[in-house]
Amino acid sequence: MTSRLTSLLALMVLLLAVVSVSSAAETRYTRYNIHAQVKEGKVANASYANYTDPGVGHIIVPAGTLITIDKKSRKRFEFTYGNDGMRVRFDYHSKRMGMGVDEYIDLITSIDPVAFKGLSQLDRKGLQEGKAFKGMTRDGVLAALGYPAAHKTPSLDAKTWIYWTNRFGTVAVEFDDSGKVANVRN
């Protein structure tokens, strides 16, 4: 009887573990484009640094995309999206961003669908192409390039936002006094 009870308890623990893992999945919408690089078939790598041009295999998970966050830790979260179940491993660094992973996920995603009604034609072009163009608004740049890494751009009120193009290069987006892009420097 004892081994049967032990087996039953083990099965219950296993079922509870499965239920807690599946309930950890969270469906959200991306607020901004997420730039990633496909290296392993249906798996892409992304980063808080928003590698806006990582090279071969560069993809953009469009702003407004429905994603399912499957895994989270202090240093990474993973999500899937699309009909083919593309998986994105998103590396994260809480010290460089000045917030925990849950706060960051709340910053770059939304539980409600995201609308871009207030964006200009030029902002929409940048959003579509995943690039910053002269004349875009701050909101347009955020949507197109993502939230800038806080260790390079500590405030969204800064005149210049620095984005990583890849692990080795950056692009600087400079704003004029009206809040529109005045220059984009590589």
Side-chain angles (χ1 to χ4, degrees), residues 59-74:
I59 63 167
I60 296 173
V61 180
T65 298
L66 180 66
I67 65 171
T68 301
I69 299 171
D70 305 305
K71 296 180 184 178
K72 278 193 277 188
S73 70
R74 286 183 321 107

Side-chain angles (χ1 to χ4, degrees), residues 69-94:
I69 299 171
D70 305 305
K71 296 180 184 178
K72 278 193 277 188
S73 70
R74 286 183 321 107
K75 294 184 176 186
R76 172 182 282 168
F77 61 95
E78 294 184 19
F79 65 86
T80 54
Y81 74 96
N83 293 333
D84 62 350
M86 175 66 89
R87 173 167 296 284
V88 176
R89 291 185 196 129
F90 201 109
D91 290 326
Y92 185 70
H93 196 291
S94 59

Side-chain angles (χ1 to χ4, degrees), residues 138 142 147-148 153-161 175-177 179:
R138 289 175 184 265
L142 272 175
Y147 198 88
T153 305
S155 170
L156 294 183
D157 294 327
K159 293 238 336 145
T160 303
W161 293 357
F175 295 95
D176 62 22
D177 292 335

